[in-house]
Amino acid sequence: MKILVIHGPNLNMLGKREKAIYGEKTLHEINALLEKEGQTLNVELVTFQSNHEGELIDFIQKQADSAHGIIINPGALTHYGFSLLDALADSKLPVIEVHLSNIYRREEWRTSSVIAPVAKGQISGLGWRGYIAALRALADELKGEASP
Ligand code: DQA
């Protein structure tokens, strides 16, 4: 089973960027924790980060046919990335949207997600642990082990 883990704009700066909001871990550290969990769950992960919406779309289009699900933190594209939304919808894969911070406790403009309508679920505010929770939930679901 293959799950795509996609990180949007500015998430390459984790560990330096607004640590009080996004935590201390770098993206590399978060990906390594996900990789470890993926091995435990026997799931192959393909991770990708870009600061460019088109590159995120290219990645989804290239990978979707061979993948089973997507975990995505779209960064600020969450709030206006309609092309990204279309690419996710077109992938027809189950999508879990993850945010390190709780977007509902922040500025008004962050409280709406254009991605949410295509997401199976959303995890917001649990920091890096949100990615691990998303991976466990998606892997469970895909393996048909989850209760309804
Ligand atoms: C974020 C929240 C977004 O509003 C912001 O633009 C980000 C990160 C989060 O993980 O909390 O880049 O998606």
Side-chain angles (χ1 to χ4, degrees), residues 46-112:
V46 183
T47 58
F48 183 72
Q49 189 276 330
S50 177
N51 292 327
H52 307 280
E53 187 170 10
E55 285 185 5
L56 298 169
I57 293 166
D58 288 344
F59 176 78
I60 292 165
Q61 290 180 354
K62 273 188 202 118
Q63 295 284 337
D65 284 352
S66 65
H68 301 93
I70 297 178
I71 293 170
I72 184 164
N73 182 344
L77 291 169
T78 304
H79 316 298
Y80 65 91
F82 293 105
S83 304
L84 180 61
L85 166 73
D86 283 348
L88 289 168
D90 202 38
S91 77
K92 299 187 181 63
L93 294 171
V95 173
I96 301 194
E97 178 184 345
V98 174
H99 300 286
L100 293 149
S101 65
N102 182 347
I103 59 173
Y104 302 101
R105 292 180 58 172
R106 301 185 62 194
E107 301 94 323
E108 179 66 28
W109 62 268
R110 288 190 205 269
T111 62
S112 84

Side-chain angles (χ1 to χ4, degrees), residues 7-17 25-28 49-51:
H7 309 281
N10 295 306
L11 293 166
N12 57 314
M13 298 305 284
L14 289 178
K16 287 192 201 128
R17 173 191 183 204
K25 290 205 191 302
T26 64
L27 188 61
H28 182 74
Q49 189 276 330
S50 177
N51 292 327

